Amino acid sequence: MTVTLIWIVVALVAIGLYLSWTAGRLDRLHTRIDAARAALDAQLLRRASVTQELATSGVLDPAASIVLYQAAHAARQAEEDHREVTESELSQALRAVFGEQAQVDVVREAPGGEEAADELAAAVRRVPMARRFHNDAVRAARALRGHRKVRWFRLAGHAPFPLAFEMDDEPPVALADRPGT
Protein backbone atom coordinates (compact mmCIF):
# COMPACT_ATOMS: atom_id res chain seq x y z
CA MET A 1 0.00 0.00 0.00
CA THR A 2 2.79 2.45 0.88
CA VAL A 3 4.73 1.67 -2.30
CA THR A 4 1.63 2.30 -4.43
CA LEU A 5 1.02 5.60 -2.66
CA ILE A 6 4.63 6.67 -3.23
CA TRP A 7 4.36 5.83 -6.96
CA ILE A 8 1.12 7.80 -7.22
CA VAL A 9 2.76 10.82 -5.54
CA VAL A 10 5.82 10.53 -7.82
CA ALA A 11 3.55 10.32 -10.89
CA LEU A 12 1.54 13.36 -9.78
CA VAL A 13 4.70 15.35 -9.13
CA ALA A 14 6.07 14.39 -12.56
CA ILE A 15 2.81 15.37 -14.25
CA GLY A 16 2.78 18.65 -12.30
CA LEU A 17 6.36 19.42 -13.34
CA TYR A 18 5.57 18.63 -16.97
CA LEU A 19 2.48 20.87 -16.93
CA SER A 20 4.46 23.64 -15.24
CA TRP A 21 7.20 23.36 -17.86
CA THR A 22 4.60 23.49 -20.66
CA ALA A 23 2.93 26.56 -19.12
CA GLY A 24 6.33 28.25 -18.85
CA ARG A 25 7.07 27.43 -22.48
CA LEU A 26 3.73 28.89 -23.52
CA ASP A 27 4.43 32.01 -21.49
CA ARG A 28 7.83 32.41 -23.19
CA LEU A 29 6.15 32.05 -26.58
CA HIS A 30 3.66 34.78 -25.70
CA THR A 31 6.53 36.99 -24.58
CA ARG A 32 8.29 36.29 -27.87
CA ILE A 33 5.12 37.25 -29.76
CA ASP A 34 4.95 40.55 -27.85
CA ALA A 35 8.59 41.32 -28.63
CA ALA A 36 8.19 40.35 -32.29
CA ARG A 37 5.05 42.50 -32.57
CA ALA A 38 6.89 45.47 -31.10
CA ALA A 39 9.71 44.97 -33.61
CA LEU A 40 7.20 44.68 -36.45
CA ASP A 41 5.43 47.86 -35.33
CA ALA A 42 8.77 49.67 -35.21
CA GLN A 43 9.68 48.53 -38.73
CA LEU A 44 6.26 49.49 -40.11
CA LEU A 45 6.51 52.91 -38.48
CA ARG A 46 10.04 53.36 -39.83
CA ARG A 47 8.92 52.46 -43.35
CA ALA A 48 5.98 54.89 -43.18
CA SER A 49 8.16 57.66 -41.74
CA VAL A 50 10.86 57.28 -44.37
CA THR A 51 8.20 57.20 -47.07
CA GLN A 52 6.58 60.38 -45.74
CA GLU A 53 9.95 62.09 -45.51
CA LEU A 54 10.75 61.16 -49.10
CA ALA A 55 7.30 62.23 -50.29
CA THR A 56 7.71 65.70 -48.76
CA SER A 57 11.33 66.17 -49.87
CA GLY A 58 10.40 67.52 -53.30
CA VAL A 59 12.51 64.91 -55.07
CA LEU A 60 9.55 63.06 -56.58
CA ASP A 61 7.01 64.40 -59.03
CA PRO A 62 3.87 65.83 -57.37
CA ALA A 63 1.59 62.89 -58.23
CA ALA A 64 3.99 60.31 -56.79
CA SER A 65 4.54 62.48 -53.71
CA ILE A 66 0.81 62.73 -53.05
CA VAL A 67 0.26 58.99 -53.50
CA LEU A 68 3.13 58.09 -51.18
CA TYR A 69 2.30 60.73 -48.60
CA GLN A 70 -1.35 59.73 -48.35
CA ALA A 71 -0.55 56.02 -48.10
CA ALA A 72 2.16 56.60 -45.48
CA HIS A 73 -0.04 58.95 -43.48
CA ALA A 74 -2.92 56.46 -43.54
CA ALA A 75 -0.55 53.67 -42.39
CA ARG A 76 0.76 55.77 -39.50
CA GLN A 77 -2.71 56.86 -38.39
CA ALA A 78 -4.51 53.52 -38.84
CA GLU A 79 -6.32 51.93 -35.97
CA GLU A 80 -5.37 48.37 -35.12
CA ASP A 81 -8.44 46.93 -36.89
CA HIS A 82 -7.42 48.42 -40.24
CA ARG A 83 -3.65 48.35 -39.89
CA GLU A 84 -3.06 45.37 -42.15
CA VAL A 85 -5.09 46.97 -44.95
CA THR A 86 -3.39 50.35 -44.75
CA GLU A 87 0.08 48.79 -44.58
CA SER A 88 -0.78 46.72 -47.66
CA GLU A 89 -1.91 49.89 -49.41
CA LEU A 90 1.42 51.52 -48.56
CA SER A 91 3.24 48.53 -50.06
CA GLN A 92 1.16 48.88 -53.22
CA ALA A 93 1.86 52.61 -53.42
CA LEU A 94 5.59 51.98 -53.03
CA ARG A 95 5.46 49.38 -55.81
CA ALA A 96 3.50 51.78 -58.03
CA VAL A 97 5.97 54.64 -57.56
CA PHE A 98 9.19 52.63 -57.43
CA GLY A 99 8.21 49.89 -59.86
CA GLU A 100 10.98 50.85 -62.25
CA GLN A 101 14.64 51.52 -61.64
CA ALA A 102 14.38 54.90 -63.42
CA GLN A 103 12.35 56.37 -60.53
CA VAL A 104 14.90 55.19 -57.99
CA ASP A 105 17.69 56.69 -60.11
CA VAL A 106 15.87 60.05 -60.13
CA VAL A 107 15.73 59.96 -56.34
CA ARG A 108 19.40 58.98 -56.06
CA GLU A 109 20.51 61.86 -58.32
CA ALA A 110 18.85 64.50 -56.14
CA PRO A 111 20.82 66.10 -53.30
CA GLY A 112 20.52 63.79 -50.31
CA GLY A 113 18.66 61.28 -52.45
CA GLU A 114 21.27 58.54 -52.16
CA GLU A 115 20.78 58.33 -48.39
CA ALA A 116 17.01 58.60 -48.68
CA ALA A 117 16.83 55.80 -51.26
CA ASP A 118 19.13 53.58 -49.19
CA GLU A 119 17.11 54.22 -46.04
CA LEU A 120 13.83 53.46 -47.83
CA ALA A 121 15.29 50.29 -49.37
CA ALA A 122 16.45 49.10 -45.95
CA ALA A 123 13.08 49.87 -44.38
CA VAL A 124 11.22 48.10 -47.18
CA ARG A 125 13.41 44.99 -46.81
CA ARG A 126 13.10 44.80 -43.02
CA VAL A 127 9.30 44.75 -42.90
CA PRO A 128 8.91 41.23 -44.42
CA MET A 129 11.57 39.87 -42.05
CA ALA A 130 9.89 41.38 -38.99
CA ARG A 131 6.51 40.10 -40.13
CA ARG A 132 7.93 36.63 -40.71
CA PHE A 133 9.46 36.53 -37.20
CA HIS A 134 6.14 37.63 -35.69
CA ASN A 135 4.09 35.12 -37.66
CA ASP A 136 6.52 32.30 -36.84
CA ALA A 137 6.13 33.03 -33.13
CA VAL A 138 2.34 33.12 -33.55
CA ARG A 139 2.41 29.80 -35.40
CA ALA A 140 4.46 28.16 -32.64
CA ALA A 141 2.15 29.46 -29.90
CA ARG A 142 -0.94 28.34 -31.81
CA ALA A 143 0.53 24.87 -32.26
CA LEU A 144 1.25 24.56 -28.54
CA ARG A 145 -2.14 25.97 -27.58
CA GLY A 146 -3.76 23.39 -29.84
CA HIS A 147 -2.53 20.48 -27.69
CA ARG A 148 -5.16 18.80 -25.54
CA LYS A 149 -3.19 19.14 -22.33
CA VAL A 150 -2.99 22.92 -22.78
CA ARG A 151 -6.74 23.18 -23.36
CA TRP A 152 -7.76 20.73 -20.63
CA PHE A 153 -5.61 22.29 -17.94
CA ARG A 154 -6.08 25.84 -19.28
CA LEU A 155 -2.35 26.45 -19.31
CA ALA A 156 -2.73 29.53 -21.53
CA GLY A 157 -4.51 31.34 -18.74
CA HIS A 158 -6.22 34.50 -19.92
CA ALA A 159 -3.75 35.32 -22.68
CA PRO A 160 -5.50 36.31 -25.90
CA PHE A 161 -5.30 33.92 -28.80
CA PRO A 162 -2.34 35.04 -30.94
CA LEU A 163 -3.17 36.45 -34.35
CA ALA A 164 -0.85 36.58 -37.33
CA PHE A 165 -0.23 39.88 -39.11
CA GLU A 166 -1.18 39.35 -42.73
CA MET A 167 -0.34 42.07 -45.20
CA ASP A 168 1.06 42.61 -48.66
CA ASP A 169 4.72 43.29 -47.91
CA GLU A 170 6.28 42.57 -51.28
CA PRO A 171 8.90 45.27 -51.85
CA PRO A 172 9.27 47.20 -55.10
CA VAL A 173 11.70 45.38 -57.35
CA ALA A 174 13.83 48.48 -57.87
CA LEU A 175 14.34 48.88 -54.09
CA ALA A 176 14.53 45.22 -53.11
CA ASP A 177 17.50 44.32 -55.28
CA ARG A 178 19.94 46.91 -53.93
CA PRO A 179 23.15 45.13 -52.92
CA GLY A 180 25.16 46.37 -50.01
CA THR A 181 22.40 48.19 -48.13
Side-chain angles (χ1 to χ4, degrees):
M1 180 72 175
T2 308
V3 173
T4 305
L5 191 59
I6 290 174
W7 280 111
I8 290 173
V9 169
V10 168
L12 289 175
V13 167
I15 290 170
L17 286 173
Y18 179 71
L19 291 175
S20 175
W21 175 81
T22 302
R25 181 172 168 226
L26 190 57
D27 184 51
R28 288 188 301 275
L29 281 172
H30 282 279
T31 302
R32 191 171 125 203
I33 289 171
D34 291 342
R37 181 58 190 240
L40 175 61
D41 287 341
Q43 292 304 322
L44 291 172
L45 181 63
R46 181 171 183 257
R47 180 180 76 155
S49 298
V50 170
T51 301
Q52 264 188 327
E53 186 178 314
L54 185 62
T56 59
S57 68
V59 173
L60 300 171
D61 62 276
S65 293
I66 290 171
V67 167
L68 286 181
Y69 183 83
Q70 287 178 342
H73 181 71
R76 289 183 70 172
Q77 300 300 320
E79 294 183 19
E80 199 59 36
D81 299 350
H82 304 301
R83 184 108 189 257
E84 294 171 348
V85 173
T86 58
E87 293 294 346
S88 293
E89 289 170 354
L90 177 56
S91 295
Q92 293 166 0
L94 285 167
R95 279 198 309 273
V97 172
F98 295 108
E100 297 178 9
Q101 186 62 40
Q103 185 69 26
V104 177
D105 293 339
V106 167
V107 171
R108 288 188 177 281
E109 290 169 2
E114 187 76 29
E115 294 82 22
D118 288 344
E119 192 174 352
L120 182 60
V124 163
R125 276 196 313 270
R126 288 182 181 143
V127 167
M129 289 188 298
R131 188 177 73 87
R132 196 171 315 120
F133 288 142
H134 175 266
N135 288 349
D136 286 347
V138 167
R139 194 174 304 111
R142 282 182 171 182
L144 186 57
R145 285 180 74 147
H147 292 179
R148 264 184 257 140
K149 65 181 174 277
V150 173
R151 290 191 317 265
W152 288 350
F153 293 103
R154 299 175 190 225
L155 298 180
H158 297 290
F161 193 74
L163 298 174
F165 193 86
E166 297 300 331
M167 64 172 271
D168 174 9
D169 61 2
E170 184 178 331
V173 176
L175 289 176
D177 296 333
R178 299 300 301 179
T181 56

